[in-house]
Structures are given as structure tokens and as C-alpha cells.
């Protein structure tokens, strides 16, 4: 099985034209393209990539990469 | 590549930016408006193509349908469709409506009566297709049918509905965009024309050359039934106008024995338009078949069970569409049935006629390949040619021939309809089309001849023939017919020019092959001056004395009595 891309790589995949900050906490609003709609699409991409499903509450609460990584870890999925 | 603007609107949130939409972006500049702005989107931007994703439950509630009689239901749906009708009145650009009426319903509640919701869904479908019959720009996608393959329950996602206002799941969104992409592609891309089938492993299981006709896997239950259904699916395509061909590494006699003797064969020899059954590379065989059919390789789709053969085909002929099929043959019948590659919006009589022409052409090529010698083959064709006048009834075909014929075309004069119309009425012109029938069918009007006359001298303005009847010496018949008509008009000298277009090499020798000689007289010769008055000459000029002309190959044709054209009759009288 090919290695799964990192959450940051998925961010670049979802927002191919965006300039993603190289340091600091990454969360909704970190760059202009990452708005609420973009975030919903991003979470669906994460779901597809890691074969998980977030609840409607999680879709509302998971705002940053750290939170998403923690939610994945809670399902036994390690995401870099 | 210039992208065409596609305005996307819907009653459900469509999640612009979701990965599913990326599929359309190479060809379409997607413009999403505001959420649920579909009525205003229909009224604006008539110059753009438009996609309306209609999720019925977002515009009609089940409660609103309770107790509605048929008339009231129609009124409600008419109100819903009014913006669409306005759009179709204002725009001829493609308007795609992808609709879904699916919602969970109790099987028990609809066991004895159709629910009001289902009634509305069926009525909507009827009204949409009725509208499509009146408006060629309207293209419909029944999403419930398109999404059913994966299961409708997996295509929708209540989590997405309550979190983002989108009824579709990620998977459903992907399948929907895939279906939309298929329909949009057909707007700009012609359907494929030829399905090339392998035999062993595709039409039947096992290898006929090894196990014999009696032991191949075909018919009955299990895999034999799947192979039979593969044949049925291919035959359905064939009967809808797709040309079926065989490319098999086999002994031809073994394959035809299966066709002729196996009781569970579905396909017949008549279904197969072209074939190459030998041990040559399949890519080379496809190139040969493309020549026989006079079709580009991009019109071909290749189906082979062997991944090695598929990979070789992809590498050798990337322009051929090589289907990637699973190893499990049981999946193939539905895979073939679901192919978009050959599908067309409407099946027109012209399409059917065109398909028949390709069949005739292939039959000719096959018979020629199998003939002992060329002359006896041609003599056995039972060719009947007839000239028809250039007049109002044939003008369109004459213009089409003048515009499209590149290969057998002496001067490649692209006469417009107006020019041809003027010629048809001129006493100084002899003009006719030539129709041909032979034992492979009626080829229609396939030749156009136009000569300009000045006293005893004429100039061959146009002499062309459709490539689909090349190799039959019809040019000889056309020339003889012209000679008869010109002699009736007192013409003795027929001048002609070969003008090299870069694509008409096949016509380069037609003049010398029929008795013309290169003109070598002085420029001051009265006949040469007459020709100069009739037409500008850029290429090599040839001349023949019609009193001395002996045209070869006329014995290949039945010789109907000369039929003066209407315009000629008028001119002579």
C-alpha cells in the first residue's frame, strides 16, 4: 500500500493555488482560501484518504491540523 | 485549450472546490453562484452553458404534495420549471439538468398505491423529457439512475446535509460529476465508431484452437453465460450503429467455425464488419482495419482480456481507446452496457446511413482481399452508375462533396452553394452528380463533375469522387458520361488541370490514365485562350480529343441508357 500523504500535503492538494505558511499552527483561516467551505471539502478529503468518517459535531469542531490529527489518532490512524 | 464557461447552480449546496469537480476543470471554467440561486442563474448568462442540479426534495416538500390532484401537481411542477423554460427560450447554449427525486420511502406504504412523492417524481421526469423533445439545447441526466450503480443510499449523506446543506455524499458527488462529464463531453466529442473484440477469453472462455469448438466456455450457466451476455451487449451496440470488429490471434477457420456451429453464439458473421484473425500484432491489424473503413484510429475502442495485449495496444496506438477491464468476466456485460464511448444523444437516420456506408466499405475491402484477381473481382461487383442533374434537389449534396472531398479531387475547387446554383442554371456548364450502386449497396451520390464550355472547347472545372468508392474505376464511367454529354454539345477538346493540394495524390494520374496528354501547344492557340477565359490555371494542363477518346474499364459497369440531365436538356434545346 502506498504511504498516505500527510495532513499538510492534503492541505496543498485541496488548495493547490494557496501559499501555505511553513511554520505555526495551521487552522481554518490560516490563508485566505481556507474558509469554512474549503474546510468542509478538506475534511471530506481527509475522510477519503484515511478511510474514516467524522460526525457532524466533529465536522464543526475540528478546525486545525492538530485537532484533526488527534481525531485520527483516536481512531487508531497515524497522520503526520 | 480554451475552456467554456459552465454556470453551475442547484437547490442543494454543491460544495464548489470539492475534489469531485476537478474532473470538469480541464475543459470547463466552472462558475458557481450563490447557494440556491438557480432561478436567477437561469435568467442570466444565456451565452454560457448551464448545469442545474435539481434535488427535488430541496424545492418541493412531501407535505406540499399531499392531496394534490393531477392538475395541481402539474401547476406546482410548471412553476418549478418556469425558469428553465425561460432559459431555454433565451439561450441555445447547452443546458444540462441533472435531477434526483430519491428519498427514503417505506416499501409497505407504497405496496398498494403510488405515493404522492413518487407520482411527482414520475411527472417531473415526463415533463423534463417532453421539454427536451422540443428544445435541442436541453440535456437531461437522471441522477437516480446514474447513482444507483453504487447504491442510492451511499450517494447521499445526511451528515453533509445537516453540516453543509449538501445532500450528496463525497462518493455521490463524484459519481454525479462523472455522469455530467460524460454528457458534456459528447457535446464536443463525437462518439467512438468501432468496437474491436478479441475472441478467446472475450466472446467465449478458453482457447478454441486448443480445446475445439465443442469445449469452449459459452452458454449454459456460470462463465459461459457471462460470455454470452458479453456478446449480447456487443450486439446491442452493433444494432445501435456501432461497428463491431474482431482482432484475434487465432486460426481464422477455428473462429468462424465457432460462429457457424456453436449453438450458443449470439453474434453472427453479419454482425462483424471487419476482422483480422491471424498471428500478426493487433496494433498493425487495427491500422489495416482503419484503412478499410476509412476511419481514424481515434474512432476505435479495443477490448481484450489479456492485460499484455492491452498494454501493447496502448503503447503502439495511444489514439485507440483501450478498455481496462477487470479479470472477472461477469462484470463485463454491464460494463459494456454502461459505456459512454459509443452513446449519442439522438440516433438519426443519417447516423444509420453512415454506419451502413462503413459496413459496405468494409465488405468491399474484405471481398477484395479475398478475391483471386482484381479484374474478376471488380467485374463481379454488379456496378450500376447513373448521373443526376445538378439542381435544387442535389445542390446540398454537391456542395458537401465539393467542401469535403480531399483525396480524389482534381482541382479541389470548394464551390459554394450559391456558385453551384448559378452553374446549375448556366447554358455554358455541363454539371452532374454520379450515383453508384453495387452488390455492397447503394452508395448514393458520390461523384461530382462540372465542365465549362466555350464553343468546341471545354474545361474540366471539377472532377471529384468520394473516397468511399475509390478503386472501382467509377472515374472512368464519369469521364465517359461527360464525354458523351460534351460531344452532344459539339465539344471536341476537353482540357483539364491537376492542381496539387497536398492531399490529392490519388488523383494525380487520372488524366493520363484516361487518354489525356500534357498540353504542349502555344499560349496563343485559340483553344488555350478559350480555356484561359474559362478558368485560371495554376497547375499542369492536359487535353484530350473527345473524338479519339477511348475510356478503359467501362465493361465493369452495367450500361444504362444515357440520361441527359435536366439542366443539360434545357441547355441543348
Amino acid at each position: 500500500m502506498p504511504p498516505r500523504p500527510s495532513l499538510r500535503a492534503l492541505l496543498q492538494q485541496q488548495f493547490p493555488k494557496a501559499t501555505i505558511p511553513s511554520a505555526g499552527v495551521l487552522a481554518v483561516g490560516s490563508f485566505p482560501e481556507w474558509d469554512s467551505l474549503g474546510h468542509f471539502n478538506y475534511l471530506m478529503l481527509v475522510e477519503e484518504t484515511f478511510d474514516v468518517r467524522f460526525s457532524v459535531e466533529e465536522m464543526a469542531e475540528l478546525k486545525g491540523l492538530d485537532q484533526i490529527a488527534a481525531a485520527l489518532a483516536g481512531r487508531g490512524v497515524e497522520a503526520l | 485549450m480554451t475552456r467554456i464557461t459552465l454556470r453551475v447552480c442547484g437547490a442543494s449546496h454543491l460544495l464548489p472546490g470539492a475534489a469531485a469537480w476537478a474532473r470538469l476543470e480541464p475543459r470547463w471554467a466552472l462558475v458557481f453562484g450563490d447557494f440556491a440561486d438557480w432561478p436567477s442563474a437561469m435568467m442570466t448568462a444565456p451565452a454560457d452553458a448551464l448545469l442545474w442540479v435539481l434535488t427535488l426534495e430541496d424545492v418541493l416538500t412531501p407535505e406540499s404534495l399531499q392531496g394534490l390532484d393531477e392538475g395541481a401537481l402539474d401547476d406546482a411542477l410548471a412553476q418549478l420549471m418556469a425558469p428553465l423554460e425561460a432559459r431555454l427560450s433565451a439561450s441555445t447554449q447547452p443546458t444540462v439538468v441533472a435531477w434526483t427525486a430519491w428519498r427514503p420511502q417505506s416499501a409497505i406504504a407504497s405496496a398498494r398505491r403510488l405515493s404522492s412523492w413518487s407520482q411527482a417524481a414520475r411527472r417531473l421526469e415526463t415533463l423534463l423529457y417532453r421539454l427536451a423533445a422540443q428544445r435541442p439545447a436541453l440535456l437531461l441526466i437522471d441522477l437516480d439512475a446514474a447513482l444507483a450503480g453504487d447504491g442510492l443510499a451511499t450517494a447521499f449523506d445526511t451528515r453533509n446535509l445537516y453540516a453543509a446543506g449538501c445532500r450528496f455524499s463525497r462518493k455521490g458527488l463524484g459519481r454525479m460529476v462523472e455522469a455530467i462529464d460524460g454528457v458534456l463531453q459528447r457535446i464536443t466529442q463525437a462518439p467512438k465508431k468501432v468496437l474491436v473484440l478479441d475472441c478467446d477469453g472475450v466472446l467465449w472462455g478458453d482457447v478454441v484452437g486448443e480445446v475445439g469448438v465443442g469445449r469452449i466456455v459459452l452458454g449454459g450457466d456460470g462463465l459461459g453465460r457471462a460470455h454470452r451476455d458479453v456478446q449480447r451487449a456487443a450486439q446491442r451496440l452493433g444494432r445501435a450503429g456501432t461497428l463491431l470488429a474482431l482482432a484475434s490471434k487465432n486460426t481464422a477457420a477455428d473462429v468462424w467455425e465457432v460462429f457457424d456451429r456453436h449453438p450458443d453464439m449470439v453474434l453472427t458473421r453479419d454482425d462483424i464488419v471487419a476482422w483480422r484473425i491471424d498471428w500478426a500484432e493487433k496494433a498493425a491489424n487495427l491500422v489495416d482495419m482503419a484503412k478499410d473503413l476509412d476511419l481514424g484510429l481515434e474512432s476505435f475502442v479495443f477490448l481484450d482480456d489479456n492485460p499484455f495485449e492491452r498494454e501493447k495496444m496502448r503503447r503502439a496506438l495511444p489514439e485507440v481507446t483501450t478498455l481496462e477491464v477487470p479479470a472477472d468476466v461477469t462484470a463485463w456485460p454491464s460494463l459494456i452496457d454502461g459505456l459512454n464511448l459509443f452513446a449519442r444523444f439522438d440516433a438519426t437516420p443519417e447516423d444509420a446511413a453512415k454506419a451502413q456506408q462503413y459496413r459496405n466499405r468494409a465488405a468491399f475491402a474484405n471481398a477484395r482481399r479475398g478475391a483471386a484477381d482484381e479484374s474478376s473481382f471488380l467485374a463481379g461487383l454488379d456496378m450500376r452508375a447513373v448521373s443526376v442533374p445538378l439542381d435544387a434537389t442535389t445542390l446540398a449534396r454537391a456542395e458537401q462533396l465539393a467542401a469535403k472531398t480531399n483525396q480524389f479531387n482534381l482541382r479541389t475547387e470548394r464551390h459554394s452553394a450559391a456558385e453551384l446554383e448559378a452553374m446549375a442554371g448556366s447554358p455554358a456548364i455541363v454539371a452532374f452528380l454520379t450515383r453508384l450502386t453495387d452488390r455492397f449497396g447503394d452508395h448514393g451520390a458520390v461523384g461530382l463533375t462540372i465542365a465549362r464550355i466555350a464553343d468546341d472547347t471545354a474545361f474540366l472545372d471539377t472532377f471529384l469522387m468520394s473516397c468511399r468508392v475509390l478503386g472501382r474505376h467509377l472515374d472512368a464511367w464519369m469521364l465517359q458520361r461527360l464525354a458523351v454529354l460534351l460531344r452532344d454539345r459539339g465539344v471536341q477538346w476537353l482540357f483539364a488541370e491537376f492542381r496539387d493540394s497536398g492531399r490529392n495524390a490519388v488523383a494525380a494520374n487520372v488524366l493520363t490514365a484516361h487518354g489525356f496528354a500534357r498540353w504542349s501547344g502555344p499560349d496563343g492557340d485559340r483553344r488555350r485562350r478559350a480555356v484561359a477565359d474559362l478558368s485560371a490555371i495554376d497547375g499542369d494542363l492536359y487535353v484530350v480529343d473527345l473524338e479519339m477518346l477511348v475510356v478503359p474499364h467501362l465493361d465493369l459497369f452495367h450500361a444504362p441508357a444515357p440520361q441527359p440531365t435536366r439542366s443539360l436538356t434545357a441547355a441543348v434545346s
Side-chain angles (χ1 to χ4, degrees), chain B residues 138-204:
Chain B
L138 178 57
L139 302 167
L140 300 173
I141 299 174
D142 178 352
L143 283 179
D144 292 340
L147 301 175
D150 289 329
L152 287 171
T154 68
F156 300 95
D157 190 334
T158 50
R159 194 273 318 264
N160 288 358
L161 174 65
Y162 293 112
C166 175
R167 288 193 180 272
F168 298 98
S169 67
R170 179 195 56 74
K171 191 175 184 179
L173 207 56
R175 287 283 184 243
M176 177 183 79
V177 175
E178 189 180 328
I180 292 165
D181 188 31
V183 170
L184 291 175
Q185 279 193 41
R186 184 57 76 251
I187 295 172
T188 53
Q189 293 175 16
K192 305 291 180 187
K193 295 188 172 71
V194 188
L195 174 60
V196 183
L197 299 153
D198 181 23
C199 293
D200 292 334
V202 174
L203 300 186
W204 52 79

Side-chain angles (χ1 to χ4, degrees), chain B residues 38-56:
Chain B
W38 57 273
S40 62
M42 303 274 187
M43 305 297 186
T44 55
D48 298 332
L50 182 134
L51 166 65
W52 180 27
V53 179
L54 171 56
T55 43
L56 191 61

Side-chain angles (χ1 to χ4, degrees), chain B residues 120-141:
Chain B
R122 292 180 187 194
R123 190 68 187 147
L124 172 71
E125 182 179 73
T126 300
L127 294 174
L128 283 172
Y129 277 104
R130 191 176 292 170
L131 193 56
Q134 298 161 357
R135 302 288 190 180
L138 178 57
L139 302 167
L140 300 173
I141 299 174

